[in-house]
Short mmCIF file of all heavy atoms in Angstrom, two decimals:
data_model
loop_
_atom_site.label_atom_id
_atom_site.label_comp_id
_atom_site.label_asym_id
_atom_site.label_seq_id
_atom_site.Cartn_x
_atom_site.Cartn_y
_atom_site.Cartn_z
N MET A 1 26.64 9.69 -2.77
CA MET A 1 25.49 9.61 -3.66
C MET A 1 25.84 8.80 -4.93
O MET A 1 25.07 7.97 -5.36
CB MET A 1 25.07 11.06 -4.05
CG MET A 1 23.83 11.11 -4.87
SD MET A 1 22.45 10.40 -4.03
CE MET A 1 21.18 11.36 -4.63
N ILE A 2 27.00 9.09 -5.53
CA ILE A 2 27.41 8.37 -6.77
C ILE A 2 27.60 6.88 -6.39
O ILE A 2 27.18 6.01 -7.21
CB ILE A 2 28.70 8.96 -7.33
CG1 ILE A 2 28.42 10.35 -7.88
CG2 ILE A 2 29.26 8.05 -8.43
CD1 ILE A 2 29.60 11.07 -8.39
N GLU A 3 28.21 6.56 -5.25
CA GLU A 3 28.43 5.18 -4.87
C GLU A 3 27.09 4.42 -4.76
O GLU A 3 26.99 3.31 -5.16
CB GLU A 3 29.21 5.08 -3.58
CG GLU A 3 30.65 5.60 -3.62
CD GLU A 3 30.73 7.11 -3.51
OE1 GLU A 3 29.75 7.75 -3.16
OE2 GLU A 3 31.80 7.63 -3.69
N THR A 4 26.14 5.11 -4.18
CA THR A 4 24.81 4.44 -4.02
C THR A 4 24.15 4.18 -5.38
O THR A 4 23.67 3.06 -5.60
CB THR A 4 23.89 5.37 -3.14
OG1 THR A 4 24.54 5.59 -1.87
CG2 THR A 4 22.56 4.69 -2.91
N SER A 5 24.13 5.15 -6.23
CA SER A 5 23.50 4.93 -7.55
C SER A 5 24.28 3.93 -8.35
O SER A 5 23.65 3.12 -9.08
CB SER A 5 23.34 6.24 -8.29
OG SER A 5 24.64 6.81 -8.59
N HIS A 6 25.57 3.92 -8.28
CA HIS A 6 26.39 2.92 -8.98
C HIS A 6 26.15 1.53 -8.43
O HIS A 6 25.92 0.59 -9.22
CB HIS A 6 27.90 3.28 -8.84
CG HIS A 6 28.82 2.27 -9.52
ND1 HIS A 6 28.89 2.23 -10.89
CD2 HIS A 6 29.65 1.36 -9.03
CE1 HIS A 6 29.74 1.26 -11.17
NE2 HIS A 6 30.23 0.73 -10.09
N GLY A 7 26.04 1.39 -7.15
CA GLY A 7 25.76 0.08 -6.52
C GLY A 7 24.32 -0.37 -6.86
O GLY A 7 24.16 -1.54 -7.20
N ASP A 8 23.41 0.54 -6.92
CA ASP A 8 22.04 0.20 -7.29
C ASP A 8 21.96 -0.25 -8.75
O ASP A 8 21.25 -1.24 -9.06
CB ASP A 8 21.09 1.38 -7.07
CG ASP A 8 20.82 1.68 -5.62
OD1 ASP A 8 21.18 0.84 -4.80
OD2 ASP A 8 20.33 2.81 -5.34
N ALA A 9 22.71 0.42 -9.64
CA ALA A 9 22.73 0.02 -11.07
C ALA A 9 23.35 -1.34 -11.22
O ALA A 9 22.80 -2.20 -11.98
CB ALA A 9 23.50 1.07 -11.87
N LEU A 10 24.43 -1.60 -10.52
CA LEU A 10 25.07 -2.94 -10.64
C LEU A 10 24.16 -4.02 -10.07
O LEU A 10 24.05 -5.12 -10.59
CB LEU A 10 26.42 -2.94 -9.86
CG LEU A 10 27.54 -2.23 -10.54
CD1 LEU A 10 28.76 -2.23 -9.62
CD2 LEU A 10 27.87 -2.79 -11.87
N TYR A 11 23.46 -3.72 -8.98
CA TYR A 11 22.52 -4.69 -8.38
C TYR A 11 21.38 -4.98 -9.39
O TYR A 11 21.01 -6.11 -9.58
CB TYR A 11 21.97 -4.12 -7.09
CG TYR A 11 20.96 -5.02 -6.41
CD1 TYR A 11 21.33 -6.21 -5.79
CD2 TYR A 11 19.61 -4.71 -6.41
CE1 TYR A 11 20.45 -7.05 -5.19
CE2 TYR A 11 18.65 -5.52 -5.81
CZ TYR A 11 19.09 -6.69 -5.23
OH TYR A 11 18.15 -7.51 -4.62
N GLY A 12 20.86 -3.95 -10.04
CA GLY A 12 19.81 -4.13 -10.98
C GLY A 12 20.26 -4.96 -12.21
O GLY A 12 19.56 -5.83 -12.65
N LEU A 13 21.47 -4.67 -12.69
CA LEU A 13 22.01 -5.42 -13.81
C LEU A 13 22.24 -6.89 -13.39
O LEU A 13 21.94 -7.81 -14.19
CB LEU A 13 23.33 -4.81 -14.26
CG LEU A 13 23.20 -3.57 -15.10
CD1 LEU A 13 24.61 -2.96 -15.31
CD2 LEU A 13 22.55 -3.80 -16.41
N SER A 14 22.73 -7.11 -12.22
CA SER A 14 22.95 -8.46 -11.74
C SER A 14 21.72 -9.24 -11.64
O SER A 14 21.67 -10.42 -12.08
CB SER A 14 23.71 -8.41 -10.36
OG SER A 14 23.86 -9.68 -9.84
N ARG A 15 20.65 -8.65 -11.10
CA ARG A 15 19.36 -9.36 -11.02
C ARG A 15 18.79 -9.59 -12.41
O ARG A 15 18.24 -10.68 -12.64
CB ARG A 15 18.35 -8.53 -10.20
CG ARG A 15 18.66 -8.52 -8.70
CD ARG A 15 17.61 -7.77 -7.90
NE ARG A 15 16.22 -8.12 -8.23
CZ ARG A 15 15.57 -9.20 -7.76
NH1 ARG A 15 16.18 -9.97 -6.92
NH2 ARG A 15 14.34 -9.40 -8.05
N GLY A 16 18.97 -8.64 -13.31
CA GLY A 16 18.46 -8.83 -14.66
C GLY A 16 19.13 -9.99 -15.40
O GLY A 16 18.50 -10.85 -16.02
N VAL A 17 20.47 -10.05 -15.26
CA VAL A 17 21.22 -11.15 -15.91
C VAL A 17 20.83 -12.48 -15.24
O VAL A 17 20.67 -13.50 -15.95
CB VAL A 17 22.73 -10.87 -15.78
CG1 VAL A 17 23.53 -12.11 -16.22
CG2 VAL A 17 23.11 -9.70 -16.70
N ARG A 18 20.72 -12.49 -13.95
CA ARG A 18 20.33 -13.72 -13.23
C ARG A 18 18.99 -14.22 -13.75
O ARG A 18 18.75 -15.40 -14.03
CB ARG A 18 20.34 -13.50 -11.73
CG ARG A 18 20.22 -14.79 -10.94
CD ARG A 18 20.41 -14.56 -9.42
NE ARG A 18 21.64 -13.84 -9.11
CZ ARG A 18 21.66 -12.71 -8.47
NH1 ARG A 18 20.57 -12.10 -8.08
NH2 ARG A 18 22.82 -12.10 -8.20
N GLY A 19 18.02 -13.29 -13.89
CA GLY A 19 16.70 -13.67 -14.39
C GLY A 19 16.77 -14.21 -15.82
O GLY A 19 16.09 -15.19 -16.15
N LEU A 20 17.60 -13.60 -16.67
CA LEU A 20 17.77 -14.11 -18.04
C LEU A 20 18.36 -15.46 -18.06
O LEU A 20 18.00 -16.35 -18.85
CB LEU A 20 18.58 -13.09 -18.87
CG LEU A 20 17.91 -11.80 -19.26
CD1 LEU A 20 18.90 -10.86 -19.90
CD2 LEU A 20 16.73 -12.10 -20.17
N LYS A 21 19.36 -15.74 -17.20
CA LYS A 21 19.96 -17.03 -17.13
C LYS A 21 18.92 -18.10 -16.73
O LYS A 21 18.90 -19.23 -17.33
CB LYS A 21 21.13 -17.07 -16.13
CG LYS A 21 22.39 -16.40 -16.63
CD LYS A 21 23.44 -16.51 -15.57
CE LYS A 21 24.77 -15.93 -16.07
NZ LYS A 21 25.81 -16.08 -15.04
N ILE A 22 18.12 -17.82 -15.73
CA ILE A 22 17.07 -18.77 -15.29
C ILE A 22 16.14 -19.05 -16.42
O ILE A 22 15.80 -20.18 -16.73
CB ILE A 22 16.36 -18.23 -14.06
CG1 ILE A 22 17.31 -18.23 -12.85
CG2 ILE A 22 15.15 -19.07 -13.74
CD1 ILE A 22 16.76 -17.46 -11.66
N PHE A 23 15.65 -17.99 -17.08
CA PHE A 23 14.70 -18.15 -18.17
C PHE A 23 15.28 -18.93 -19.32
O PHE A 23 14.63 -19.83 -19.87
CB PHE A 23 14.26 -16.78 -18.68
CG PHE A 23 13.40 -16.79 -19.92
CD1 PHE A 23 12.08 -17.20 -19.82
CD2 PHE A 23 13.93 -16.58 -21.16
CE1 PHE A 23 11.28 -17.27 -20.97
CE2 PHE A 23 13.15 -16.62 -22.27
CZ PHE A 23 11.79 -17.02 -22.20
N THR A 24 16.58 -18.67 -19.70
CA THR A 24 17.20 -19.34 -20.81
C THR A 24 17.37 -20.81 -20.48
O THR A 24 17.17 -21.67 -21.37
CB THR A 24 18.56 -18.69 -21.11
OG1 THR A 24 18.36 -17.30 -21.36
CG2 THR A 24 19.20 -19.36 -22.33
N ARG A 25 17.72 -21.15 -19.26
CA ARG A 25 17.88 -22.59 -18.89
C ARG A 25 16.53 -23.27 -19.00
O ARG A 25 16.40 -24.41 -19.51
CB ARG A 25 18.41 -22.71 -17.46
CG ARG A 25 19.90 -22.47 -17.36
CD ARG A 25 20.48 -22.84 -16.01
NE ARG A 25 21.91 -22.64 -16.01
CZ ARG A 25 22.46 -21.52 -15.55
NH1 ARG A 25 21.77 -20.57 -15.01
NH2 ARG A 25 23.77 -21.37 -15.60
N ARG A 26 15.46 -22.63 -18.51
CA ARG A 26 14.15 -23.22 -18.60
C ARG A 26 13.75 -23.42 -20.09
O ARG A 26 13.14 -24.46 -20.44
CB ARG A 26 13.12 -22.37 -17.87
CG ARG A 26 13.26 -22.36 -16.42
CD ARG A 26 12.29 -21.46 -15.78
NE ARG A 26 12.43 -21.43 -14.32
CZ ARG A 26 11.85 -20.53 -13.52
NH1 ARG A 26 11.06 -19.61 -13.98
NH2 ARG A 26 12.09 -20.57 -12.22
N LEU A 27 14.00 -22.45 -20.90
CA LEU A 27 13.69 -22.52 -22.32
C LEU A 27 14.48 -23.66 -23.03
O LEU A 27 13.90 -24.38 -23.84
CB LEU A 27 14.01 -21.19 -23.01
CG LEU A 27 13.56 -21.02 -24.45
CD1 LEU A 27 12.04 -21.19 -24.61
CD2 LEU A 27 13.99 -19.67 -24.98
N ALA A 28 15.77 -23.82 -22.68
CA ALA A 28 16.55 -24.87 -23.24
C ALA A 28 15.99 -26.27 -22.87
O ALA A 28 15.88 -27.17 -23.71
CB ALA A 28 18.02 -24.76 -22.81
N VAL A 29 15.60 -26.43 -21.62
CA VAL A 29 15.05 -27.74 -21.17
C VAL A 29 13.72 -27.94 -21.89
O VAL A 29 13.48 -29.06 -22.37
CB VAL A 29 14.84 -27.72 -19.64
CG1 VAL A 29 14.00 -28.88 -19.17
CG2 VAL A 29 16.17 -27.70 -18.91
N GLN A 30 12.85 -26.93 -21.99
CA GLN A 30 11.58 -27.11 -22.67
C GLN A 30 11.77 -27.46 -24.15
O GLN A 30 11.11 -28.35 -24.67
CB GLN A 30 10.73 -25.83 -22.56
CG GLN A 30 9.41 -25.95 -23.23
CD GLN A 30 8.67 -24.63 -23.21
OE1 GLN A 30 9.27 -23.59 -23.19
NE2 GLN A 30 7.37 -24.72 -23.27
N THR A 31 12.68 -26.79 -24.81
CA THR A 31 12.94 -27.08 -26.23
C THR A 31 13.44 -28.47 -26.44
O THR A 31 12.98 -29.16 -27.38
CB THR A 31 13.95 -26.04 -26.79
OG1 THR A 31 13.43 -24.74 -26.60
CG2 THR A 31 14.21 -26.26 -28.27
N SER A 32 14.33 -28.96 -25.58
CA SER A 32 14.85 -30.28 -25.71
C SER A 32 13.71 -31.31 -25.45
O SER A 32 13.64 -32.35 -26.14
CB SER A 32 15.97 -30.53 -24.75
OG SER A 32 17.07 -29.72 -25.07
N THR A 33 12.86 -31.03 -24.48
CA THR A 33 11.74 -31.91 -24.18
C THR A 33 10.75 -31.99 -25.36
O THR A 33 10.29 -33.07 -25.71
CB THR A 33 11.05 -31.47 -22.89
OG1 THR A 33 12.00 -31.41 -21.83
CG2 THR A 33 9.91 -32.41 -22.54
N ILE A 34 10.43 -30.86 -25.94
CA ILE A 34 9.50 -30.81 -27.08
C ILE A 34 10.11 -31.62 -28.22
O ILE A 34 9.43 -32.39 -28.93
CB ILE A 34 9.20 -29.37 -27.48
CG1 ILE A 34 8.31 -28.73 -26.42
CG2 ILE A 34 8.50 -29.32 -28.81
CD1 ILE A 34 8.13 -27.22 -26.57
N GLY A 35 11.39 -31.40 -28.51
CA GLY A 35 12.05 -32.13 -29.62
C GLY A 35 11.99 -33.63 -29.41
O GLY A 35 11.73 -34.39 -30.31
N ALA A 36 12.22 -34.10 -28.14
CA ALA A 36 12.17 -35.51 -27.86
C ALA A 36 10.74 -36.06 -28.04
O ALA A 36 10.53 -37.17 -28.55
CB ALA A 36 12.68 -35.78 -26.42
N GLY A 37 9.76 -35.26 -27.69
CA GLY A 37 8.33 -35.67 -27.85
C GLY A 37 7.99 -35.78 -29.31
O GLY A 37 7.31 -36.71 -29.74
N ILE A 38 8.43 -34.87 -30.14
CA ILE A 38 8.16 -34.92 -31.57
C ILE A 38 8.85 -36.16 -32.18
O ILE A 38 8.25 -36.87 -33.00
CB ILE A 38 8.65 -33.63 -32.25
CG1 ILE A 38 7.76 -32.44 -31.85
CG2 ILE A 38 8.64 -33.79 -33.80
CD1 ILE A 38 8.22 -31.12 -32.31
N ALA A 39 10.04 -36.46 -31.81
CA ALA A 39 10.76 -37.64 -32.31
C ALA A 39 10.05 -38.90 -31.90
O ALA A 39 9.86 -39.80 -32.71
CB ALA A 39 12.21 -37.65 -31.78
N LEU A 40 9.48 -38.95 -30.69
CA LEU A 40 8.74 -40.09 -30.25
C LEU A 40 7.45 -40.26 -31.05
O LEU A 40 7.09 -41.38 -31.45
CB LEU A 40 8.44 -40.00 -28.76
CG LEU A 40 7.70 -41.17 -28.08
CD1 LEU A 40 8.46 -42.48 -28.27
CD2 LEU A 40 7.44 -40.90 -26.64
N MET A 41 6.73 -39.20 -31.27
CA MET A 41 5.50 -39.25 -32.04
C MET A 41 5.81 -39.72 -33.48
O MET A 41 5.05 -40.52 -34.05
CB MET A 41 4.79 -37.88 -32.11
CG MET A 41 4.14 -37.48 -30.84
SD MET A 41 3.14 -36.00 -30.98
CE MET A 41 4.37 -34.72 -31.30
N MET A 42 6.87 -39.21 -34.07
CA MET A 42 7.25 -39.64 -35.43
C MET A 42 7.56 -41.11 -35.46
O MET A 42 7.17 -41.84 -36.40
CB MET A 42 8.44 -38.82 -35.92
CG MET A 42 8.13 -37.38 -36.20
SD MET A 42 9.60 -36.43 -36.78
CE MET A 42 9.78 -37.13 -38.42
N ALA A 43 8.27 -41.59 -34.48
CA ALA A 43 8.59 -43.04 -34.44
C ALA A 43 7.32 -43.88 -34.33
O ALA A 43 7.22 -44.92 -34.99
CB ALA A 43 9.54 -43.34 -33.23
N ARG A 44 6.37 -43.43 -33.50
CA ARG A 44 5.16 -44.22 -33.34
C ARG A 44 4.28 -44.17 -34.55
O ARG A 44 3.44 -45.05 -34.78
CB ARG A 44 4.39 -43.71 -32.12
CG ARG A 44 5.11 -44.03 -30.85
CD ARG A 44 4.25 -43.98 -29.65
NE ARG A 44 5.07 -44.43 -28.51
CZ ARG A 44 4.70 -44.22 -27.30
NH1 ARG A 44 3.60 -43.53 -27.01
NH2 ARG A 44 5.45 -44.62 -26.26
N MET A 45 4.39 -43.13 -35.40
CA MET A 45 3.65 -43.03 -36.64
C MET A 45 4.36 -43.69 -37.80
O MET A 45 3.86 -43.73 -38.91
CB MET A 45 3.38 -41.55 -36.99
CG MET A 45 2.42 -40.89 -36.03
SD MET A 45 1.87 -39.27 -36.60
CE MET A 45 3.31 -38.30 -36.40
N GLY A 46 5.58 -44.22 -37.53
CA GLY A 46 6.27 -44.91 -38.58
C GLY A 46 7.02 -43.98 -39.53
O GLY A 46 7.38 -44.42 -40.61
N LEU A 47 7.19 -42.73 -39.16
CA LEU A 47 7.88 -41.79 -39.99
C LEU A 47 9.39 -41.89 -39.80
O LEU A 47 9.82 -42.27 -38.68
CB LEU A 47 7.42 -40.33 -39.64
CG LEU A 47 5.93 -40.07 -39.90
CD1 LEU A 47 5.59 -38.68 -39.31
CD2 LEU A 47 5.62 -40.09 -41.38
N PRO A 48 10.18 -41.60 -40.81
CA PRO A 48 11.63 -41.74 -40.61
C PRO A 48 12.07 -40.70 -39.56
O PRO A 48 11.56 -39.59 -39.50
CB PRO A 48 12.20 -41.37 -42.01
CG PRO A 48 11.07 -40.80 -42.79
CD PRO A 48 9.78 -41.23 -42.14
N PRO A 49 13.04 -41.09 -38.78
CA PRO A 49 13.49 -40.19 -37.71
C PRO A 49 14.23 -38.99 -38.25
O PRO A 49 14.85 -39.08 -39.31
CB PRO A 49 14.37 -41.08 -36.86
CG PRO A 49 14.88 -42.12 -37.79
CD PRO A 49 13.74 -42.35 -38.78
N ILE A 50 14.15 -37.91 -37.55
CA ILE A 50 14.90 -36.73 -37.89
C ILE A 50 15.99 -36.56 -36.79
O ILE A 50 15.85 -37.04 -35.67
CB ILE A 50 14.03 -35.49 -37.98
CG1 ILE A 50 13.27 -35.21 -36.66
CG2 ILE A 50 13.09 -35.52 -39.10
CD1 ILE A 50 12.52 -33.88 -36.61
N GLN A 51 17.05 -35.91 -37.16
CA GLN A 51 18.12 -35.68 -36.19
C GLN A 51 17.75 -34.49 -35.35
O GLN A 51 17.54 -33.41 -35.84
CB GLN A 51 19.44 -35.40 -36.93
CG GLN A 51 19.99 -36.62 -37.65
CD GLN A 51 20.31 -37.75 -36.74
OE1 GLN A 51 20.82 -37.54 -35.62
NE2 GLN A 51 20.02 -38.99 -37.13
N LEU A 52 17.70 -34.73 -34.04
CA LEU A 52 17.46 -33.62 -33.11
C LEU A 52 18.66 -33.50 -32.19
O LEU A 52 19.23 -34.48 -31.75
CB LEU A 52 16.20 -33.98 -32.24
CG LEU A 52 14.89 -34.09 -32.97
CD1 LEU A 52 13.81 -34.61 -32.01
CD2 LEU A 52 14.48 -32.74 -33.52
N THR A 53 18.98 -32.27 -31.94
CA THR A 53 20.05 -31.97 -30.98
C THR A 53 19.47 -31.31 -29.74
O THR A 53 18.53 -30.51 -29.85
CB THR A 53 21.16 -31.06 -31.58
OG1 THR A 53 20.50 -29.87 -32.03
CG2 THR A 53 21.85 -31.70 -32.77
N ASP A 54 19.95 -31.71 -28.59
CA ASP A 54 19.50 -31.11 -27.37
C ASP A 54 20.07 -29.69 -27.31
O ASP A 54 21.23 -29.46 -27.63
CB ASP A 54 19.97 -31.92 -26.15
CG ASP A 54 19.20 -33.19 -25.95
OD1 ASP A 54 18.07 -33.25 -26.44
OD2 ASP A 54 19.73 -34.09 -25.30
N VAL A 55 19.21 -28.78 -26.84
CA VAL A 55 19.66 -27.44 -26.63
C VAL A 55 20.34 -27.37 -25.30
O VAL A 55 19.77 -27.83 -24.28
CB VAL A 55 18.45 -26.43 -26.70
CG1 VAL A 55 18.91 -25.02 -26.39
CG2 VAL A 55 17.74 -26.52 -28.00
N ALA A 56 21.56 -26.88 -25.25
CA ALA A 56 22.31 -26.82 -24.00
C ALA A 56 22.81 -25.45 -23.74
O ALA A 56 23.11 -24.66 -24.68
CB ALA A 56 23.46 -27.83 -24.05
N MET A 57 22.96 -25.14 -22.46
CA MET A 57 23.55 -23.85 -22.08
C MET A 57 25.02 -23.86 -22.45
O MET A 57 25.67 -24.92 -22.35
CB MET A 57 23.36 -23.65 -20.59
CG MET A 57 21.92 -23.50 -20.13
SD MET A 57 21.12 -22.08 -20.86
CE MET A 57 22.00 -20.79 -20.04
N PRO A 58 25.57 -22.71 -22.85
CA PRO A 58 27.02 -22.67 -23.14
C PRO A 58 27.85 -22.86 -21.86
O PRO A 58 27.41 -22.50 -20.80
CB PRO A 58 27.22 -21.28 -23.71
CG PRO A 58 26.09 -20.48 -23.17
CD PRO A 58 24.93 -21.39 -23.02
N THR A 59 29.04 -23.42 -22.06
CA THR A 59 29.97 -23.59 -20.94
C THR A 59 30.61 -22.26 -20.63
O THR A 59 30.58 -21.37 -21.46
CB THR A 59 31.01 -24.64 -21.25
OG1 THR A 59 31.80 -24.18 -22.31
CG2 THR A 59 30.37 -25.99 -21.58
N GLU A 60 31.27 -22.18 -19.49
CA GLU A 60 31.96 -20.98 -19.11
C GLU A 60 33.09 -20.72 -20.14
O GLU A 60 33.37 -19.60 -20.51
CB GLU A 60 32.54 -21.08 -17.71
CG GLU A 60 31.45 -21.10 -16.62
CD GLU A 60 30.61 -19.85 -16.57
OE1 GLU A 60 31.16 -18.75 -16.75
OE2 GLU A 60 29.41 -19.96 -16.33
N ALA A 61 33.72 -21.79 -20.60
CA ALA A 61 34.83 -21.64 -21.58
C ALA A 61 34.30 -21.10 -22.89
O ALA A 61 35.01 -20.25 -23.51
CB ALA A 61 35.52 -23.04 -21.79
N GLU A 62 33.11 -21.54 -23.33
CA GLU A 62 32.56 -20.98 -24.56
C GLU A 62 32.22 -19.52 -24.43
O GLU A 62 32.41 -18.76 -25.36
CB GLU A 62 31.29 -21.77 -24.94
CG GLU A 62 31.56 -23.21 -25.39
CD GLU A 62 30.30 -24.02 -25.55
OE1 GLU A 62 29.33 -23.86 -24.77
OE2 GLU A 62 30.26 -24.84 -26.53
N ILE A 63 31.71 -19.15 -23.25
CA ILE A 63 31.38 -17.75 -23.00
C ILE A 63 32.65 -16.89 -23.04
O ILE A 63 32.71 -15.85 -23.68
CB ILE A 63 30.65 -17.59 -21.67
CG1 ILE A 63 29.29 -18.26 -21.73
CG2 ILE A 63 30.51 -16.12 -21.31
CD1 ILE A 63 28.57 -18.40 -20.45
N ASP A 64 33.71 -17.39 -22.41
CA ASP A 64 34.99 -16.66 -22.36
C ASP A 64 35.54 -16.50 -23.80
O ASP A 64 36.03 -15.45 -24.18
CB ASP A 64 35.97 -17.35 -21.48
CG ASP A 64 35.59 -17.32 -20.01
OD1 ASP A 64 34.84 -16.39 -19.63
OD2 ASP A 64 36.13 -18.11 -19.21
N ALA A 65 35.48 -17.62 -24.56
CA ALA A 65 35.99 -17.58 -25.93
C ALA A 65 35.19 -16.56 -26.82
O ALA A 65 35.75 -15.84 -27.58
CB ALA A 65 35.95 -18.93 -26.57
N SER A 66 33.88 -16.52 -26.58
CA SER A 66 33.04 -15.58 -27.28
C SER A 66 33.38 -14.13 -26.95
O SER A 66 33.44 -13.28 -27.86
CB SER A 66 31.57 -15.82 -26.98
OG SER A 66 30.75 -14.89 -27.56
N ASN A 67 33.65 -13.88 -25.67
CA ASN A 67 34.05 -12.53 -25.25
C ASN A 67 35.38 -12.14 -25.91
O ASN A 67 35.56 -10.98 -26.28
CB ASN A 67 34.11 -12.47 -23.72
CG ASN A 67 32.77 -12.44 -23.08
OD1 ASN A 67 31.79 -12.08 -23.72
ND2 ASN A 67 32.73 -12.79 -21.84
N GLU A 68 36.33 -13.07 -26.01
CA GLU A 68 37.64 -12.74 -26.59
C GLU A 68 37.52 -12.52 -28.05
O GLU A 68 38.26 -11.66 -28.61
CB GLU A 68 38.58 -13.91 -26.29
CG GLU A 68 38.99 -13.97 -24.83
CD GLU A 68 39.86 -15.18 -24.50
OE1 GLU A 68 40.32 -15.87 -25.48
OE2 GLU A 68 40.05 -15.45 -23.33
N GLU A 69 36.59 -13.19 -28.77
CA GLU A 69 36.43 -12.99 -30.22
C GLU A 69 35.90 -11.62 -30.54
O GLU A 69 36.19 -11.06 -31.57
CB GLU A 69 35.50 -14.05 -30.77
CG GLU A 69 36.09 -15.46 -30.81
CD GLU A 69 35.07 -16.49 -31.20
OE1 GLU A 69 33.91 -16.14 -31.50
OE2 GLU A 69 35.41 -17.67 -31.21
N GLU A 70 35.06 -11.07 -29.65
CA GLU A 70 34.43 -9.74 -29.90
C GLU A 70 35.44 -8.62 -29.76
O GLU A 70 35.25 -7.53 -30.31
CB GLU A 70 33.25 -9.54 -28.93
CG GLU A 70 32.10 -10.42 -29.26
CD GLU A 70 30.93 -10.17 -28.32
OE1 GLU A 70 30.97 -9.20 -27.57
OE2 GLU A 70 29.97 -10.98 -28.37
N CYS A 71 36.52 -8.84 -29.02
CA CYS A 71 37.49 -7.74 -28.77
C CYS A 71 38.37 -7.50 -29.95
O CYS A 71 38.56 -8.09 -30.85
CB CYS A 71 38.34 -8.06 -27.55
SG CYS A 71 37.40 -8.14 -26.03
#
């Protein structure tokens, strides 16, 4: 009984994290696209350009380093 509930909890957590990763990647792509669109509109209106950085997902090394800093 404990093994089943533990396995179900891990499965639920795994699915939740996977869903968050997918959503975050989509959000990062959308944010970068919107920023590029704003920069293009500003250029066409003759406004001085602003510095935009692309939103990127963290690398595995960055995630590992972040986990080590919290300990």
Side-chain angles (χ1 to χ4, degrees):
M1 184 62 147
I2 292 174
E3 293 83 7
T4 302
S5 63
H6 180 70
D8 290 345
L10 288 176
Y11 178 71
L13 285 171
S14 176
R15 286 183 50 81
V17 169
R18 193 173 305 121
L20 286 172
K21 284 182 175 181
I22 292 168
F23 173 77
T24 305
R25 283 190 179 97
R26 289 177 182 169
L27 186 60
V29 169
Q30 180 186 27
T31 301
S32 296
T33 302
I34 291 170
I38 290 171
L40 182 59
M41 286 188 294
M42 290 180 71
R44 291 198 176 165
M45 291 190 290
L47 298 171
I50 57 173
Q51 293 296 321
L52 296 172
T53 56
D54 286 337
V55 178
M57 294 297 293
T59 64
E60 294 297 321
E62 291 172 323
I63 293 170
D64 292 339
S66 173
N67 285 339
E68 290 175 10
E69 290 172 3
E70 290 181 11
C71 295

